[in-house]
Amino acid sequence: MSFKNFPMVPRVVFGRGSFDQLEEIISPKRKSDKAPFVYIVDDVFEGNNWLVGRIPLQYDDKIIFVSAKEEPKTILVDQFRDEIISEFDEIPSGIIGIGGGAMLDYAKAVALMLTNPGSSADYQGWDLVKYEGVYHVGIPTISGTGSEVSRTTVLTGPVRKLGMNSDYTPFDQVILDPELTKDAPKNQWFYTGMDCYIHCIESLTGTYLNAFSQSYGEKSLDLCREVFIEKDSVDEDSQDKLMMASWHGGMSIAYSQVGVAHAMSYGLSYLLGTKHGIGNCIAFNQLQEFYPDGVIEFKEMVMKHQIHIPENICKNLTDKEFDIMIDISLGLVPLWENALGKDWEKTITRKKLRSLYELM
Ligand code: ZN
């Protein structure tokens, strides 16, 4: 038996307003005045002076605004890398992602692809990355994905939706400033928060569970319940707590795995472009047979906050399209094994997956 030697984020700052420490944190990491810091920022913040105006640009530092409307793609990672290499004489001093899970994943992937040859699609999988990336910093502006602590960067490529999962992937520095989440739209706040809730349920009910994962998962679940059940609306306390719930949820799955909702939501996302948070909600909403207590509680939270969870998004799909989703989903073996044990293939047949997708 071999146990995972899991890399953790070595440095983290937590606190309202801590974003203002960015300059003092990164300055010592600047290699020269020709080696810029490149910021990958959600384009919803374009023109938002409260946030963008506080980015400490110097020399040739550059902001790339990126849309989070679609899940991160290998083709865009390669394109950003190529643009950066052709624009600057030196490799950047660092890549800084500011936004939700998509921006954090882009930042991690671009940092790795600046030092690893070829296309990011070549590195989708486990431990394929050969060289350490450039210094990279993650600054979440919405809470729940756990990307700020994870050793992966989930990308949609030409043939698969899979992360660059490696020891080089985690951020060198994370800045957790809950105040940055204050303007997240309510639906987005909920869908992304539920990503965290679902991480906890899938981890805590999985066969991979161990004391490490359980300790983080239970704390995260408690925090999710404080935020989504005990409180009627968002306040500063719930912003702080959801940010830490995300962190703990990410730590929980780091040492276990996610489960059925994620395995199915990856299929939705690959075929239909459904974003991760809402895709998990759409899937989890129909998974009562696997997660009976979790789904009941989820539905309570949906009702309480009056959130719309889409249904019947698979209604008009063809057989071929269902098969594409089923292929993607069945490929995620560790997720199924965590959810249902070594004999998962006895219950999760193509027919069974088809019938579940038809409910979504
Ligand atoms: Zn997730």
Side-chain angles (χ1 to χ4, degrees):
M1 179 115 192
S2 163
F3 298 96
K4 268 194 262 189
N5 188 6
F6 176 73
M8 290 171 65
V9 172
R11 282 185 177 265
V12 56
V13 178
F14 174 83
R16 306 184 76 80
S18 60
F19 184 51
D20 290 329
Q21 282 172 238
L22 179 60
E23 181 168 15
E24 95 182 51
I25 289 168
I26 64 175
S27 289
K29 303 287 180 185
R30 188 182 294 277
K31 295 207 172 96
S32 83
D33 57 9
K34 292 199 174 56
F37 285 106
V38 176
Y39 293 83
I40 295 179
V41 182
D42 189 321
D43 68 3
V44 297
F45 294 115
E46 200 163 1
N48 177 331
N49 198 47
W50 179 77
L51 190 137
V52 175
R54 292 155 72 197
I55 294 177
L57 297 175
Q58 290 184 333
Y59 306 105
D60 295 331
D61 292 352
K62 177 189 173 81
I63 299 176
I64 304 176
F65 288 104
V66 181
S67 169
K69 291 219 163 58
E70 293 183 355
E71 292 281 277
K73 293 188 168 46
T74 55
I75 188 167
L76 274 178
V77 170
D78 296 351
Q79 187 189 313
F80 296 146
R81 184 262 322 264
D82 294 345
E83 282 170 16
I84 290 167
I85 285 183
S86 68
E87 183 171 344
F88 300 103
D89 297 337
E90 292 178 23
I91 292 282
S93 297
I95 304 292
I96 297 156
I98 304 178
M103 296 309 121
L104 301 187
D105 282 358
Y106 272 129
K108 289 193 272 190
V110 170
L112 293 172
M113 291 314 298
L114 284 164
T115 54
N116 286 275
S119 165
S120 51
D122 302 336
Y123 301 97
Q124 286 181 282
W126 279 269
D127 300 305
L128 302 172
V129 178
K130 290 186 190 71
Y131 307 106
E132 188 179 3
V134 306
Y135 175 75
H136 47 301
V137 180
I139 307 177
T141 61
I142 191 163
S143 298
T145 67
S147 176
E148 65 278 16
V149 291
S150 80
R151 92 190 267 284
T152 193
T153 159
V154 183
L155 301 173
T156 304
V159 288
R160 54 183 72 91
K161 180 172 181 190
L162 195 61
M164 296 167 72
N165 200 315
S166 84
D167 281 350
Y168 303 120
T169 308
F171 286 112
D172 298 297
Q173 170 80 55
V174 169
I175 295 180
L176 297 178
D177 181 348
E179 194 181 23
L180 300 183
T181 67
K182 70 184 174 63
D183 296 323
K186 188 178 176 191
N187 275 337
Q188 210 47 57
W189 163 79
F190 186 86
Y191 298 143
T192 309
M194 285 302 109
D195 188 21
C196 177
Y197 177 81
I198 295 167
H199 291 158
C200 296
I201 300 296
E202 291 183 326
S203 173
L204 291 170
T205 60
T207 62
Y208 289 5
L209 189 66
N210 53 72
F212 186 106
S213 288
Q214 189 173 0
S215 62
Y216 285 107
E218 285 175 350
K219 186 66 212 175
S220 178
L221 190 57
D222 287 348
L223 291 166
C224 285
R225 287 176 174 148
E226 284 187 60
V227 170
F228 291 103
I229 295 175
E230 288 168 30
K231 282 183 195 279
D232 295 322
S233 60
V234 179
D235 57 16
E236 291 189 358
D237 181 59
S238 61
Q239 290 164 4
D240 293 4
K241 283 177 171 157
L242 190 54
M243 192 156 259
M244 288 320 298
S246 177
W247 182 274
H248 283 79
M251 288 300 298
S252 181
I253 52 175
Y255 222 81
S256 59
Q257 232 334 325
V258 287
V260 183
H262 276 75
M264 298 204 68
S265 135
Y266 275 35
L268 296 174
S269 166
Y270 186 83
L271 181 75
L272 304 170
T274 315
K275 287 202 64 196
H276 185 69
I278 191 171
N280 280 343
C281 288
I282 292 167
F284 197 67
N285 202 27
Q286 307 296 344
L287 294 177
Q288 201 142 346
E289 72 174 281
F290 300 101
Y291 305 110
D293 299 341
V295 174
I296 288 170
E297 191 167 63
F298 169 77
K299 288 183 174 174
E300 278 170 29
M301 295 185 282
V302 168
M303 286 252 283
K304 181 182 172 84
H305 297 284
Q306 298 180 312
I307 303 293
H308 171 65
I309 307 295
E311 291 179 41
N312 298 318
I313 66 167
C314 298
K315 194 170 58 183
N316 297 318
L317 298 182
T318 63
D319 288 348
K320 203 177 155 203
E321 288 172 319
F322 275 111
D323 280 337
I324 291 170
M325 290 197 297
I326 291 166
D327 287 337
I328 291 285
S329 186
L330 285 177
L332 298 162
V333 172
L335 283 63
W336 291 108
E337 199 178 279
N338 174 48
L340 302 165
K342 293 242 178 281
D343 292 334
W344 64 274
E345 281 169 302
K346 284 187 183 142
T347 36
I348 301 304
T349 58
R350 299 187 74 87
K351 199 172 151 215
K352 176 69 184 171
L353 278 186
R354 169 82 184 243
S355 71
L356 287 168
Y357 273 126
E358 281 174 352
L359 296 173
M360 291 174 185

